[in-house]
Amino acid sequence: MTKKIALITGITGQDGAYLARLLLKKNYIVHGIIRKSSSFNTGRINDIYQEPFIKKKSLFLHYGDLTSFASINSVISEIKPHEVYNLAAQSHVMVSFKNPEYTSDVNALGTLRILESIRQNKLEKKTKFYQASTSELFGNPKFKSQSEKTPFYTRSPYGTSKLFSYWITKNYRESYGIFAANGILFNHESPLRGETFVTKKISKGLSNIYLKKQKILYIGNLDSMRDWGHAKDYVYAQWLILQQKKPLDLVISTGRKYSVRDFIERCCKYLGWRIFWNGKGVNEYGYLILKNKKIKIIQVSAKYFRPNELNSLKGDSSLAKRKLKFKLKYNIDKLIEEMMSYDLKNKKS
Ligand code: NAP
Ligand code: G4F
């Protein structure tokens, strides 16, 4: 039987690394697009990397960039993939306020470039396309939980760039019959999460404080709430979305939300610590009492507040559960346990 060929953009990112492992286990030939960088950006896929000249190679990396049609098109026209997972993005919401034009070029036009390449290479009937859509599309919704029926109202350049991609994916599906589907994924984390996202910042910061390598963790909005899942569960959902008979846009979430403050308290509990809070707003801080001494370990800083915030997100993924027959393996405490134990062991990082 001929093996399926998959192309992953963003293979060096959190989701790309987990998805590549999953597809290799499923016997796919996996191609990934990586950016040229002056320092190594392949750390997350080191363990699956295959030397260029080995026999029966199943993982191939290509230099490319979503800002360049030529680089994307040359890979797609050469490998003619059965499945494309578009995971590449400038994925940081706060950074998108500082770099809105670049964010839009990558996150919005990048998606269009891939879809156009599929169309121009006449792969409409062969290539299935997955778009990494996001709960950021919902903004600050009026409804308690967000499903495929909840109206969109984006509140950041990141969200707005992803809104374009959500619609262009649907446009190419409806106009050209491409199997193109959106996974509307809520926040998902893991030991491989980028270090400037809040969960990883907390797990790593608190681990460093525990190991006496750092004194204080500076943080932004403690009361913001997110629906946090595990990336391993969510990349499995991405794969399932492309295995359906028909392309569907589906919400993937846990259906539970926690505040940033809750997340910190749970990580502290993992370390055997109880944290106390004092002050308000940017003057708030968190401290421990150790040997009768008050030790400040968390300080709120205005630097990490956003020009526009999403206060609370919680997904309703009933449709995905029905259609994909999909069950989550992780809850928040299992996720925290895995992140904390990884950060405590990785003492050098
Ligand atoms: P991530 O860790 O930030 O990874 C992003 C990937 O995109 C990296 O491989 C990065 O390469 C690559 N990339 C960035 N700009 C690029 C460009 N111009 N050309 C080619 N590649 C580029 O993101 P993630 O957490 O894995 O998320 C994967 C996707 O899902 C993203 O599209 C994100 O927006 C979306 N999403 C994420 C979540 C979440 O909670 N994680 C939720 C909903 C949607 P480098 O390694 O070289 O930087
Ligand atoms: O971890 P975050 O930066 O994730 P955010 O903004 O929710 O975006 C992530 O999830 C989206 C899905 O909804 C993805 F589409 C997107 O690509 C990305 O993966 O921030 C989470 C919350 C925010 O409310 C933020 O204001 O945590 C709050 N926060 C508080 N202190 C902080 C910090 N966020 C960061 N990054 N750093 C802080 O110090």
Side-chain angles (χ1 to χ4, degrees):
M1 212 174 81
T2 53
K3 288 187 175 189
K4 273 194 183 170
I5 300 168
L7 173 64
I8 305 176
T9 72
I11 194 168
T12 56
Q14 170 188 253
D15 288 11
Y18 282 112
L19 181 66
R21 283 181 183 83
L22 175 75
L23 297 182
L24 288 171
K25 263 198 201 143
K26 290 193 177 293
N27 222 12
Y28 279 62
I29 302 283
V30 177
H31 293 260
I33 291 181
I34 61 167
R35 296 196 285 176
K36 171 73 186 81
S37 159
S38 64
S39 51
F40 284 116
N41 58 0
T42 47
R44 291 188 181 101
I45 51 170
N46 272 347
D47 56 323
I48 53 171
Y49 177 77
Q50 298 169 355
E51 293 296 339
F53 304 110
I54 66 161
K55 280 186 190 160
K56 294 197 179 165
K57 202 167 142 67
S58 51
L59 176 68
F60 298 85
L61 300 177
H62 308 259
Y63 283 115
D65 198 297
L66 282 205
T67 57
S68 147
F69 177 77
S71 71
I72 301 299
N73 191 47
S74 88
V75 179
I76 290 181
S77 62
E78 182 197 328
I79 69 169
K80 299 190 173 47
H82 297 98
E83 295 173 10
V84 175
Y85 296 86
N86 182 29
L87 308 184
Q90 190 303 92
S91 72
H92 204 284
V93 175
M94 181 69 155
V95 172
S96 80
F97 285 102
K98 311 271 178 203
N99 274 321
E101 184 188 348
Y102 175 72
T103 301
S104 305
D105 193 358
V106 179
N107 298 5
L109 293 182
T111 309
L112 174 64
R113 290 180 183 112
I114 299 170
L115 287 164
E116 248 319 270
S117 172
I118 293 173
R119 192 183 73 80
Q120 289 187 19
N121 285 292
K122 302 198 173 12
L123 295 168
E124 297 96 324
K125 295 284 169 272
K126 175 174 181 181
T127 304
K128 293 181 172 184
F129 177 78
Y130 172 86
Q131 171 56 23
S133 285
T134 164
S135 48
E136 281 286 314
L137 296 176
F138 297 118
N140 275 324
K142 289 190 191 110
F143 308 97
K144 276 193 179 153
S145 56
Q146 297 84 55
S147 72
E148 296 77 8
K149 292 189 179 140
T150 308
F152 296 144
Y153 188 146
T154 61
R155 289 182 184 263
S156 65
Y158 170 81
T160 304
S161 67
K162 287 283 187 176
L163 185 64
F164 175 90
S165 282
Y166 172 88
W167 281 111
I168 204 71
T169 298
K170 270 175 99 93
N171 293 163
Y172 272 61
R173 172 164 90 214
E174 290 165 3
S175 309
Y176 305 116
I178 298 176
F179 187 116
N182 287 286
I184 308 169
L185 271 51
F186 280 63
N187 297 49
H188 45 282
E189 319 296 311
S190 74
L192 300 186
R193 184 59 145 149
E195 295 189 3
T196 57
F197 296 96
V198 77
T199 56
K200 182 69 175 176
K201 207 175 141 179
I202 295 168
S203 67
K204 192 161 177 204
L206 289 176
S207 298
N208 280 343
I209 292 170
Y210 185 85
L211 298 167
K212 300 196 172 24
K213 293 192 320 180
Q214 181 177 335
K215 288 209 161 127
I216 292 186
L217 171 64
Y218 292 92
I219 201 92
N221 183 0
L222 285 170
D223 297 315
S224 176
M225 303 188 93
R226 288 292 182 274
D227 177 334
W228 281 299
H230 195 300
K232 229 189 248 178
D233 277 336
Y234 285 34
V235 300
Y236 184 59
Q238 294 171 3
W239 175 76
L240 283 175
I241 287 175
L242 289 198
Q243 311 315 308
Q244 300 308 297
K245 287 212 174 95
K246 285 187 181 163
L248 283 173
D249 304 321
L250 292 172
V251 162
I252 306 294
S253 64
T254 72
R256 289 177 186 274
K257 66 177 177 182
Y258 300 89
S259 65
V260 171
R261 190 189 300 278
D262 279 335
F263 198 91
I264 294 175
E265 287 173 359
R266 281 166 193 265
C267 290
C268 284
K269 196 169 165 208
Y270 177 91
L271 294 168
W273 287 346
R274 178 163 173 217
I275 187 152
F276 300 89
W277 299 100
N278 200 350
K280 267 201 162 172
V282 286
N283 295 317
E284 187 164 5
Y285 62 91
Y287 63 93
L288 305 174
I289 300 192
L290 293 177
K291 294 184 191 158
N292 285 330
K293 267 191 176 167
K294 195 171 160 181
I295 300 166
K296 185 171 155 186
I297 58 164
I298 308 275
Q299 176 66 59
V300 172
S301 162
K303 183 176 173 216
Y304 298 109
F305 281 76
R306 298 172 178 186
N308 204 350
E309 175 66 290
L310 306 196
N311 302 314
S312 177
L313 287 172
K314 186 175 84 156
D316 170 358
S317 55
S318 332
L319 184 61
K321 279 185 191 137
R322 263 201 330 274
K323 295 281 180 191
L324 307 179
K325 300 188 178 48
F326 167 65
K327 271 196 187 148
L328 299 172
K329 292 200 174 125
Y330 285 84
N331 63 20
I332 187 97
D333 288 319
K334 262 178 103 177
L335 167 70
I336 287 177
E337 199 180 308
E338 203 178 293
M339 293 179 76
M340 289 298 292
S341 97
Y342 180 92
D343 286 330
L344 286 168
K345 273 183 211 136
N346 261 359
K347 295 190 185 92
K348 272 194 214 136
S349 59

